[in-house]
């Protein structure tokens, strides 16, 4: 006797055969292409339908294909319920999730990996149409990565261009782990000196150089997690590089230093080197060389030198066994005030020029004021003449030495034109003009009759006028 579930399944198959299958329509059903699961956790293979479930009839099956294995039936369902599970061992491992044909895996393990196929028949009664849909979801099961650990070989400081460095990164937990190396938080790419292993867990720098100095760390990741390691420094012995001679004395033009006679000069030889380099100072005279001193600083007294002499600084790194040298010339010549004079001459506007311009401006202002006062003095005399009362202007002048003290003063000869062309002069009467002419004569007479030997009162009056 056949089981009831078997008879229902056969009847459904017979029923669906009565309809013509239409072409697959991707708009009806959507599933993710890949799902990444965590070992020991659950995973839902969700199915998204784009139609009203109450208006259709659904029948379908889920299958699994493990890597290198056959296609295995997991469950068959009709509408909202499962009608058959393939085997007892799959009953607790998979669960049908209505109403949209989704499949739940309660607990993932390595055996859950693989491709999951969905075969779905959708019947639309109103249109008497049967649509067949086939979908596949690829499922991976991974273990989260733990904190990676890095190691450098050799662990000591290495010498540039002579040694190699090997970095290794690994994790205790994690599956399908990929690694990435970073220096100073910047990713490192493969190059002529940087070689990586197949999963980037190992980095070899060959040979190591100065620019490889920095902080290194490793990033470990898989589909479900990522972690990074602690940083570790890489130290390199290098140099000397960028050798230069510097001094705070005298004037420098290119590689020539000029100092005053008798001046004490100090030179420093500086270079980029690890460990710090040693220096040797050499004097070059008449194609002959002589070692002056050893050290980073050179002291030279200019009065002991000839007019010009060449020197050489040679830097040497005892670890890298590399050396570099630079040459300069020391010239003894009178510079006046030295560097300050050079700075003033090179400046576009010096303080001396500012003082000179200020003095010229003040002098010009004084001359302008003097010129204005001088030009306005005759005008004041004329105004005094015009402002006098008419009776005083026509009064005859008293001549004689006895009255000279009354009119004693400093006078200026004023030329009054015979014809007044201004509007002010034309408005005056003829009598006024005659009085002006008489006054001209009176001024002359007063000056002419000044006593030759002023009295004591006259001298006092003169002093008061001068003080005023």
């Amino acid at each position: 006797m056949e089981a009831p579930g078997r008879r229902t399944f056969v009847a459904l198959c017979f029923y669906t055969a009565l309809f013509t299958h239409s072409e697959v329509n991707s708009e009806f059903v959507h599933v993710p292409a890949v799902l990444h699961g965590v070992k020991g956790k659950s995973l839902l293979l969700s199915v998204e339908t784009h139609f009203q479930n109450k208006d259709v009839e659904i029948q379908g099956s889920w299958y699994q294909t493990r890597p290198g294995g056959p296609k295995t039936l997991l469950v068959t369902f009709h509408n909202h319920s499962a009608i058959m599970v393939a085997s007892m061992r799959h009953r607790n491992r998979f669960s049908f999730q209505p109403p949209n044909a989704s499949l739940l895996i309660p607990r993932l393990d390595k055996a859950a990996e693989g491709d999951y196929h969905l075969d779905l028949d959708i019947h639309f009664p109103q249109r008497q149409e049967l649509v067949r849909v086939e979908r596949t979801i690829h499922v991976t099961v991974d273990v989260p990565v733990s904190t990676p650990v890095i190691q450098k070989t050799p662990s000591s400081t290495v010498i540039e261009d002579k040694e190699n460095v090997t970095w290794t990164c690994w994790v205790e937990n994690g599956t399908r782990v990929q690694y990435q190396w970073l220096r100073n938080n910047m990713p490192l790419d493969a190059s002529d000196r940087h070689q990586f292993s197949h999963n980037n867990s190992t980095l070899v720098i060959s040979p190591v150089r100065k620019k490889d100095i920095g902080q290194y760390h490793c990033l470990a990741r898989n589909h479900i997690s990522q972690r990074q390691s602690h940083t570790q420094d890489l130290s390199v012995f290098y140099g000397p590089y960028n050798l230069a001679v510097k001094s705070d004395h005298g004037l420098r033009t290119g590689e020539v230093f000029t100092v005053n006679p008798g001046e004490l000069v100090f030179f420093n030889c500086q270079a980029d080197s690890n460990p710090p380099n040693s220096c040797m100072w050499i004097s070059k005279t008449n194609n002959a060389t002589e070692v002056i001193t050893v050290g980073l600083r050179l002291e030279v007294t200019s009065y002991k030198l000839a007019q010009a002499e060449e020197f050489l600084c040679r830097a040497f790194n005892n670890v890298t066994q590399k050396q570099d040298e630079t040459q300069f010339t020391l010239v003894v010549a009178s510079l006046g005030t030295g560097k300050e004079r050079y700075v003033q001459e090179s400046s576009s506007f010096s303080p001396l020029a500012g003082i000179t311009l200020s003095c010229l401006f003040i002098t010009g202002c004084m001359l302008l004021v003097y010129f204005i006062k001088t030009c306005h003095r005759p005008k004041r005399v004329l105004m005094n003449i015009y402002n006098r009362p008419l009776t005083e202007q026509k009064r005859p002048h008293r001549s004689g030495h006895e009255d000279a003290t009354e009119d004693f003063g400093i006078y200026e000869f004023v030329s009054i034109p015979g014809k007044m062309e201004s509007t002010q002069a034309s408005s005056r009467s003829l009598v006024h003009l005659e009085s002006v002419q008489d006054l001209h004569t009176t001024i002359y007479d007063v000056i002419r009759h000044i006593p030759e030997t002023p009295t004591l009162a006259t001298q006092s009056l003169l002093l008061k006028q001068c003080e005023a």
Side-chain angles (χ1 to χ4, degrees), residues 317-387:
N317 189 318
N318 297 323
V319 177
T320 64
Q321 299 298 309
K322 292 182 179 181
Q323 71 176 26
D324 192 11
E325 62 183 33
T326 182
Q327 182 174 320
F328 65 97
T329 302
L330 182 60
V331 177
V332 179
S334 179
L335 296 176
T337 57
K339 188 177 297 185
E340 291 77 12
R341 172 183 161 187
Y342 173 79
V343 173
Q344 289 182 359
E345 291 178 353
S346 62
S347 176
S348 60
F349 186 81
S350 64
L352 181 61
I355 296 174
T356 303
L357 291 177
S358 300
C359 293
L360 291 176
F361 177 75
I362 295 173
T363 304
C365 292
M366 295 175 63
L367 290 176
L368 180 62
V369 172
Y370 175 78
F371 178 75
I372 293 174
K373 290 184 177 181
T374 304
C375 292
H376 283 70
R377 185 174 298 172
K379 183 178 179 181
R380 290 198 303 270
V381 174
L382 288 176
M383 294 300 296
N384 292 331
I385 293 174
Y386 284 119
N387 292 332

Side-chain angles (χ1 to χ4, degrees), residues 157-372:
T157 304
V158 293
I159 303 174
E160 69 170 349
D161 294 326
K162 293 184 177 181
E163 294 184 86
N164 304 332
V165 172
T166 301
W167 291 95
T168 305
C169 181
W170 72 90
V171 294
E172 294 182 359
N173 300 316
T175 55
R176 282 189 280 264
V177 182
Q178 291 293 324
Y179 299 91
Q180 184 180 23
W181 289 95
L182 300 94
R183 180 183 68 231
N184 299 329
N185 294 322
M186 297 298 295
L188 289 174
D189 298 324
S191 65
D192 295 339
R193 297 189 306 106
H194 296 166
Q195 293 89 35
F196 296 92
S197 60
H198 70 283
N199 62 349
N200 294 339
S201 61
T202 301
L203 166 64
V204 178
I205 305 177
S206 176
V208 69
R209 291 180 181 170
K210 175 191 172 184
K211 60 183 179 180
D212 296 319
I213 296 175
Q215 293 185 333
Y216 287 74
H217 71 271
C218 166
L219 183 67
R221 62 161 65 95
N222 59 11
H223 296 305
I224 59 175
S225 63
Q226 73 173 28
R227 302 287 294 272
Q228 73 174 22
S229 68
H230 298 291
T231 60
Q232 189 170 342
D233 294 331
L234 173 61
S235 299
V236 179
F237 291 126
Y238 63 89
Y241 297 124
N242 305 320
L243 182 63
V245 173
K246 297 183 180 180
S247 176
D248 295 332
H249 301 81
L251 301 178
R252 179 173 184 174
T253 304
E255 299 301 325
V256 178
F257 292 86
T258 305
V259 297
N260 285 314
E263 184 178 0
L264 183 62
V265 187
F266 297 96
F267 295 96
N268 294 309
C269 195
Q270 301 176 357
D272 184 13
S273 178
N274 182 33
N277 54 271
S278 59
C279 291
M280 178 183 298
W281 297 90
I282 301 173
S283 173
K284 300 177 64 176
T285 306
N286 298 327
N287 296 326
T289 60
E290 179 184 359
V291 177
I292 303 175
T293 185
V294 175
L296 298 178
R297 194 175 190 184
L298 172 65
E299 178 181 333
V300 178
T301 306
S302 59
Y303 70 83
K304 296 182 179 180
L305 301 178
Q307 188 173 2
E309 189 169 339
E310 293 184 354
F311 293 88
L312 185 144
C313 172
R314 180 175 297 163
F316 182 76
N317 189 318
N318 297 323
V319 177
T320 64
Q321 299 298 309
K322 292 182 179 181
Q323 71 176 26
D324 192 11
E325 62 183 33
T326 182
Q327 182 174 320
F328 65 97
T329 302
L330 182 60
V331 177
V332 179
S334 179
L335 296 176
T337 57
K339 188 177 297 185
E340 291 77 12
R341 172 183 161 187
Y342 173 79
V343 173
Q344 289 182 359
E345 291 178 353
S346 62
S347 176
S348 60
F349 186 81
S350 64
L352 181 61
I355 296 174
T356 303
L357 291 177
S358 300
C359 293
L360 291 176
F361 177 75
I362 295 173
T363 304
C365 292
M366 295 175 63
L367 290 176
L368 180 62
V369 172
Y370 175 78
F371 178 75
I372 293 174

Side-chain angles (χ1 to χ4, degrees), residues 28-67:
F28 290 146
V29 176
H30 177 266
V31 297
V34 179
L35 288 176
H36 302 293
V38 180
K39 185 178 180 180
K41 303 292 184 179
S42 63
L43 181 66
L44 178 65
L45 282 62
S46 62
V47 178
E48 181 180 353
T49 57
H50 296 255
F51 52 83
Q52 295 294 331
N53 292 336
K54 63 181 181 179
D55 298 332
V56 298
E57 186 177 0
I58 302 174
Q59 177 183 327
S61 300
W62 278 100
Y63 300 87
Q64 181 193 17
T65 302
R66 297 183 60 184

